């Protein structure tokens, strides 16, 4: 295979843009897959973007647990493999039934495939939809007192880049978490300590969360989809640690406190 182009889907997303940066720093040819060049809602964009591509980093927005995701992953994977793609890396979520079905589609595609299965992103607090709640001083989620092994997106990007560019990762499912379990209340307290601003966590009902998200501008379908996802994964099933970062990279995962110190400028506006 003389072609070495790597396609990064969701190239403007939290993990995708970091993977792009790493690949470009390595001097590799990168094709960016984001709207309008690539759109999960428009399958006419799929075949052109995988043409003459060797490896693909697959991220699905908004989440693999959303309706329609599995069928789209299956069709896209078939198109990619038929086009000659020989290496696939899928970003997945922990203990999400539909996400795990998508993993099997990719792992069974007949090419080198790796799954990067992740817990809740630390960067949701400073780059995603939780930034405004943090800035307002109140994080309201239907999570109760559940704990989560938040994972740093920088770690995810390092693992994904290794799987895209190095041999030895085919067939692996790397389950990525941070090094410890913390509650959302503890996350808020850590953010408070890093910023010098009081940030608190409030547990709300799913109905209250959906209403608040919609009022804040989140599309109604997405708000209800997030609600369903939270009901699935914020029930204690992820209250355990995994060692995927060390398995893939030979080093420990980054801690939430270190992340909060580095992200603090985003919360001090």
């Amino acid at each position: 295979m003389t072609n070495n182009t790597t396609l990064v889907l969701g190239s403007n997303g939290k993990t995708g843009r970091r993977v792009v940066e790493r690949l470009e720093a390595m001097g590799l040819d990168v094709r960016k897959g984001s709207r309008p060049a690539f759109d999960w809602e428009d399958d006419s964009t799929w075949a052109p973007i995988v043409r003459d591509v060797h490896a693909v980093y697959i991220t699905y927005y908004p989440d693999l647990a959303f309706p329609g995701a599995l069928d789209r992953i299956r069709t896209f994977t078939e198109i990619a493999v038929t086009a000659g793609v020989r290496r696939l890396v899928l970003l997945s979520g922990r203990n999400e039934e539909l996400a795990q079905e998508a993993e099997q589609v990719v792992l069974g595609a007949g090419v080198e495939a790796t799954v990067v299965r992740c817990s809740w992103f630390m960067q949701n607090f400073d780059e995603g939809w939780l930034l405004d709640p943090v800035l307002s001083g109140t994080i309201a989620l239907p999570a109760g007192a559940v704990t989560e092994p938040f994972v740093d997106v920088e770690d995810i990007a390092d693992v994904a880049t290794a799987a895209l560019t190095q041999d030895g990762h085919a067939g692996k499912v790397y389950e990525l978490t941070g090094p410890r379990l913390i509650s959302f209340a503890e996350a808020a307290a850590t953010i408070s300590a890093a910023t010098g601003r009081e940030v608190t966590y409030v547990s709300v009902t799913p109905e209250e969360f959906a209403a608040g998200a919609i009022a804040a501008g989140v599309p109604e379908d997405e708000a209800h989809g997030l609600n369903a996802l939270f009901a699935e994964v914020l029930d204690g099933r992820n209250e355990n640690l995994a060692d995927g970062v060390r398995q893939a990279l030979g080093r420990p995962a980054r801690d939430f406190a270190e992340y909060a110190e580095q992200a603090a400028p985003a919360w001090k506006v």
Side-chain angles (χ1 to χ4, degrees):
M1 169 81 62
T2 56
N3 174 55
N4 289 313
T5 299
T6 299
L7 168 64
V8 177
L9 300 183
S11 56
N12 293 326
K14 294 183 188 68
T15 69
R17 66 178 176 81
R18 288 172 166 86
V19 170
V20 168
E21 290 169 358
R22 285 158 171 76
L23 294 173
E24 290 181 338
M26 297 167 68
L28 300 179
D29 184 33
V30 181
R31 184 173 299 171
K32 299 176 183 179
S34 59
R35 292 176 179 171
F38 178 83
D39 188 343
W40 279 114
E41 300 293 331
D42 181 2
D43 58 10
S44 70
T45 65
W46 301 357
I49 207 161
V50 296
R51 190 174 298 125
D52 300 322
V53 164
H54 170 67
V56 182
Y57 179 50
I58 304 173
T59 68
Y60 185 87
Y61 181 84
D63 191 273
L64 289 173
F66 275 56
L70 180 59
D71 288 340
R72 293 187 181 104
I73 291 293
R74 182 179 290 111
T75 302
F76 174 82
T77 299
E78 292 172 353
I79 291 172
V81 172
T82 299
V85 172
R86 307 313 302 160
R87 182 172 289 179
L88 300 170
V89 177
L90 175 69
L91 178 68
S92 184
R94 286 183 98 202
N95 289 314
E96 298 176 21
E97 182 177 347
L98 289 175
Q100 265 77 88
E101 291 185 41
E103 293 175 8
Q104 293 308 307
V105 169
V106 173
L107 290 170
V111 297
E112 294 181 22
T114 307
V115 170
V116 183
R117 183 189 292 165
C118 301
S119 57
W120 187 293
F121 296 175
M122 294 180 187
Q123 278 75 7
N124 285 336
F125 291 99
D126 74 295
E127 296 181 17
W129 54 275
L130 282 176
L131 174 58
D132 285 343
V134 170
L135 293 176
S136 75
T138 303
I139 302 170
L141 288 170
V146 72
T147 58
E148 176 74 18
F150 298 100
V151 65
D152 194 322
V153 169
E154 301 290 350
D155 286 340
I156 300 171
D158 283 345
V159 173
T161 300
L164 287 166
T165 61
Q166 301 171 4
D167 294 331
H169 300 284
K172 300 290 183 63
V173 177
Y174 292 122
E175 193 157 326
L176 309 188
T177 74
R180 62 190 173 102
L181 293 165
I182 63 174
S183 68
F184 284 88
E186 290 170 324
T190 302
I191 293 170
S192 296
T195 61
R197 297 175 50 249
E198 184 177 3
V199 179
T200 59
Y201 164 68
V202 176
S203 180
V204 297
T205 66
E207 294 76 17
E208 289 170 333
F209 170 78
I214 293 168
V218 177
E220 186 170 347
D221 287 349
E222 188 171 333
H224 290 300
L226 287 171
N227 238 348
L229 176 60
F230 294 160
E232 182 176 2
V233 301
L234 293 179
D235 63 354
R237 71 183 65 187
N238 285 328
E239 290 183 309
N240 55 82
L241 303 178
D243 203 26
V245 174
R246 188 179 295 277
Q247 292 171 17
L249 304 175
R251 64 164 177 80
R254 190 161 71 138
D255 188 75
F256 190 89
E258 182 181 354
Y259 150 74
E261 288 295 332
Q262 293 190 358
W267 298 317
K268 292 182 177 179
V269 294

